[in-house]
Amino acid sequence: MSVFEAILARRSVRAYGPQALERATIQTLLEAVVRAPTAMHEEPWAFAVVQDKQVLEKLSDRAKPIFVEEARRRQAQSGGHSFEIFSRPDFNIFYDAGTLIVICAKPLGPFVSADCWLGAENLMLAACSMGLGTCVIGSALTALNIPEVKTQLGIAAEFSAVAPIIVGVPQGATAATSRREPRILSWM
């Protein structure tokens, strides 16, 4: 699969099979992350990999009410989506994926977050090229940065979670979504 084919094929997958990812597969994905461009060659990232189903379920249960409260505050200001599904006890924000990779960073400079997101895209494209599915789980971010949760996941205090991404074997196909044409503001 070419890079452009991977870009066109990548989807946010929300249904996963029960297969566990092997350590070598995760190492390959992490290698893709660290090959991303970084401002001033900072390479700010570090990783937490969570494959324990019970830990993922507890983290989901902890993150859901936090996210719902944040969403309610934002909605009061701007209107928008309904987040009812997060109130359901059986809803897992990780969509039962077997692996969560959290890209973390120390707040070293102004481009650390951008660096991590560039790495995240590398991870997602590499996973797609390997036949794996991914999805960014932004709804877990606040919970992942709670000191107690960071300790439980082995994330040192000086690091912050930046990009939580689930990875696994997709259960079925994920349909493509339409995209708008590029909006060009200027071309000089």
Side-chain angles (χ1 to χ4, degrees):
M1 179 180 289
S2 73
V3 172
F4 198 69
E5 289 170 333
I7 290 169
L8 296 176
R10 194 217 55 82
R11 307 278 187 269
S12 291
V13 175
R14 292 180 175 88
Y16 293 88
Q19 304 90 329
L21 295 185
E22 294 181 10
R23 189 177 198 95
T25 300
I26 294 167
Q27 285 294 142
T28 299
L29 295 173
L30 297 179
E31 179 66 25
V33 175
V34 303
R35 300 304 304 167
T38 65
M40 298 175 285
H41 201 64
E42 196 71 46
E43 299 186 59
W45 36 61
F47 309 95
V49 179
V50 184
Q51 292 186 292
D52 184 308
K53 292 259 188 210
Q54 289 181 331
V55 171
L56 288 169
E57 287 174 18
K58 287 178 183 176
L59 183 55
S60 174
D61 290 343
R62 181 139 191 203
K64 289 188 298 186
I66 295 168
F67 180 71
V68 167
E69 181 57 34
E70 289 175 341
R72 281 192 185 123
R73 276 187 270 137
R74 282 191 308 270
Q75 229 175 3
Q77 297 168 359
S78 64
H81 292 11
S82 168
F83 295 99
E84 299 174 18
I85 193 165
F86 287 85
S87 299
R88 290 188 11 214
D90 63 329
F91 176 67
N92 181 319
I93 66 171
F94 303 115
Y95 301 99
D96 298 317
T99 303
L100 169 66
I101 298 175
V102 185
I103 302 174
C104 303
K106 290 182 181 181
L108 300 171
F111 305 110
V112 166
S113 183
D115 291 345
C116 289
W117 283 108
L118 288 167
E121 183 68 7
N122 274 15
L123 183 153
M124 292 184 284
L125 292 174
C128 179
S129 75
M130 297 165 69
L132 300 172
T134 59
C135 189
V136 173
I137 307 297
S139 55
L141 197 55
T142 300
L144 287 166
N145 281 302
I146 294 171
E148 175 187 324
V149 172
K150 287 170 59 173
T151 298
Q152 178 189 14
L153 299 180
I155 300 171
E158 66 269 21
F159 285 89
S160 294
V162 176
I165 302 166
I166 53 173
V167 185
V169 177
Q171 187 175 38
T174 300
T177 58
S178 63
R179 296 291 190 200
R180 296 181 191 130
E181 290 295 318
R183 182 177 175 188
I184 300 170
L185 299 177
S186 177
W187 194 320
M188 297 180 203

